[in-house]
Amino acid sequence: MKKLLRKSMQFLATFGIVVTATAANSTCLLFAHQPEMPEGYKSLRKF
């Protein structure tokens, strides 16, 4: 059971990093809404 929980948490952490990196490198599709990004996002940007 602990092994399953550990694998699940590792997957969730990896998934969170991937989603954050994707959001840092894209813009909002709605023209009127582009939220301010925190300082931590800057390290994930590719440009």
Side-chain angles (χ1 to χ4, degrees), residues 22-41:
T22 303
N25 292 313
S26 63
T27 58
C28 184
L29 295 176
L30 300 173
F31 66 92
H33 179 70
Q34 182 67 34
E36 302 255 344
M37 290 199 194
E39 292 296 320
Y41 273 159

Side-chain angles (χ1 to χ4, degrees), residues 10-29:
Q10 285 177 342
F11 171 76
L12 197 59
T14 304
F15 183 70
I17 290 172
V18 169
V19 168
T20 304
T22 303
N25 292 313
S26 63
T27 58
C28 184
L29 295 176

